Amino acid sequence: MRTWSHADFPFPLPAGHRYPLGKYRLLRDTLVNDGTLRAADVLTPEAISWAALGTVHEDAFLERLRTGALERRESRVLGLPWSAELVERARRGTQGTLHAARDALDGQGVGVMLGGGTHHAGRASARGYCLFNDLAVTVLALRAEDAAQRVLIVDCDVHQGDGTAELLGPDPDAYTLSVQCERNYPFKRIPSDLDVELPAGTGDAAYLSALADALQVAARAFGVPDLIVYLAGADPWEGDGLGRLALSFDGLAARDALVLDHAGAAGVPILVTLAGGYPPDVWDGVRINARTVRAAVERARDVPLPAPRPTS
Ligand SMILES: [Zn+2]
């Protein structure tokens, strides 16, 4: 099964920073070494064009990001030090999400970006480690190429998808569902079509029940979409440094199964992105993400995919 990774494009980060930069290479190598993925099936995306980013983001904001001219306040809310390498990685990551979505729609049924899910990025703001909103960019690109029109976002990162809500919330052909810890970042919400706010300490059973209910509410409100976009955040895990929910490893795996099976039962292609995850030990993040990818691979259809289309 074909997947996408930007792991070979790191960026300068101060020692001890919470962003799990090293995880993405460990994850890719783990999945190849254990036979989940063939090395040849982990592709490196090219950098997405500025024009494609401009379908979603404000021109002046993109120009500040491109040239390193972010204001001090903007750098603070991004939470990562600007560098040309950071921008390059984010452009490749966004393109990887788009490629993975095409894989899902081109017959594989499931597409995987080994990263992505940068849901805090808004039209003119980079926030919470997210430069570009790969989800919204992907939705607009798929529509432009007539690959998918109506998209359901299922955001299971522990933090609310405020950027996605800003960009796709008002869109009648996109339904944004976000399941999060109620007292957690971002403290100023932008409402999704459906927000599920869970108290700190929520464990497996209550979480899974709330998610199952929310998927049914979304299905009733929105019908059958052309594509489901899943953010399989690792940060609802009980040991996460930023999460405040209390899901176990098995609870997260049950969550992945719930969303993947929901898509499978409806016959809807699904794009899987990994979004956030901040365990003190990076290997716990690898363990959670690897289980997500293995579950996705089990559900993918084994079809020969066309060569990746060039950046639009
Ligand atoms: Zn998060």
Side-chain angles (χ1 to χ4, degrees):
M1 176 182 144
R2 185 156 85 190
T3 63
W4 297 86
S5 169
H6 59 358
D8 288 335
F9 292 85
F11 58 92
L13 200 59
H17 194 287
R18 207 189 286 265
Y19 184 82
L21 182 60
K23 179 182 76 171
Y24 298 90
R25 194 173 283 178
L26 297 174
L27 173 65
R28 180 194 61 193
D29 293 350
T30 295
L31 290 165
V32 169
N33 290 336
D34 74 9
T36 303
L37 302 173
R38 295 187 315 165
D41 287 337
V42 186
L43 276 66
T44 298
E46 69 278 22
I48 199 164
S49 71
W50 290 100
L53 296 171
T55 62
V56 163
H57 295 289
E58 182 194 75
D59 289 342
F61 162 69
L62 290 178
E63 186 61 12
R64 288 197 300 283
L65 265 181
R66 192 179 68 76
T67 58
L70 291 181
E71 292 159 18
R72 190 176 306 178
R73 188 196 61 82
E74 288 182 294
S75 297
R76 202 178 58 239
V77 297
L78 170 58
L80 296 171
W82 185 91
S83 61
E85 293 93 332
L86 172 67
V87 175
E88 171 81 9
R89 175 189 174 91
R91 290 174 65 200
R92 288 178 181 269
T94 303
Q95 183 69 54
T97 298
L98 174 55
H99 278 310
R102 289 168 173 162
D103 289 348
L105 291 159
D106 277 343
Q108 193 168 267
V110 182
V112 172
M113 171 60 196
L114 299 171
T118 46
H119 59 164
H120 296 308
R123 176 167 161 70
S125 55
R127 293 189 289 249
Y129 308 158
C130 303
L131 280 75
F132 312 117
N133 194 300
D134 59 332
L135 314 155
V137 170
T138 291
V139 168
L140 293 203
L142 294 174
R143 284 184 189 159
E145 59 201 46
D146 250 343
Q149 178 66 27
R150 302 181 72 253
V151 178
L152 168 64
I153 313 283
V154 180
D155 186 340
C156 290
D157 187 279
V158 81
H159 305 102
Q160 197 244 358
D162 54 344
T164 312
E166 176 193 340
L167 293 164
L168 294 178
D171 184 329
D173 281 341
Y175 190 93
T176 53
L177 160 58
S178 187
V179 183
Q180 59 261 350
C181 179
E182 63 184 355
R183 296 230 178 108
N184 206 331
Y185 179 92
F187 297 102
K188 206 190 290 173
R189 305 281 208 243
I190 297 171
S192 312
D193 289 304
L194 178 57
D195 281 300
V196 179
E197 302 284 355
L198 300 172
T202 296
D204 294 345
Y207 183 99
L208 293 167
S209 160
L211 175 58
D213 289 349
L215 290 170
Q216 293 310 317
V217 171
R220 281 198 296 274
F222 193 61
V224 180
D226 301 321
L227 177 72
I228 293 175
V229 174
Y230 176 38
L231 284 75
D235 45 15
W237 180 55
E238 57 194 342
D240 192 85
L242 296 177
R244 308 191 72 227
L245 293 184
L247 271 69
S248 67
F249 288 119
D250 288 345
L252 288 167
R255 174 201 66 172
D256 294 340
L258 186 61
V259 178
L260 289 163
D261 290 343
H262 180 80
V268 178
I270 183 167
L271 160 67
V272 179
T273 64
L274 299 180
Y278 311 93
D281 181 345
V282 69
W283 283 103
D284 285 324
V286 171
R287 180 175 171 187
I288 294 166
N289 290 160
R291 275 182 90 167
T292 300
V293 176
R294 285 185 205 111
V297 168
E298 279 168 18
R299 287 162 176 83
R301 287 189 288 275
D302 193 15
V303 294
L305 290 173
R309 278 163 270 171
T311 309
S312 52

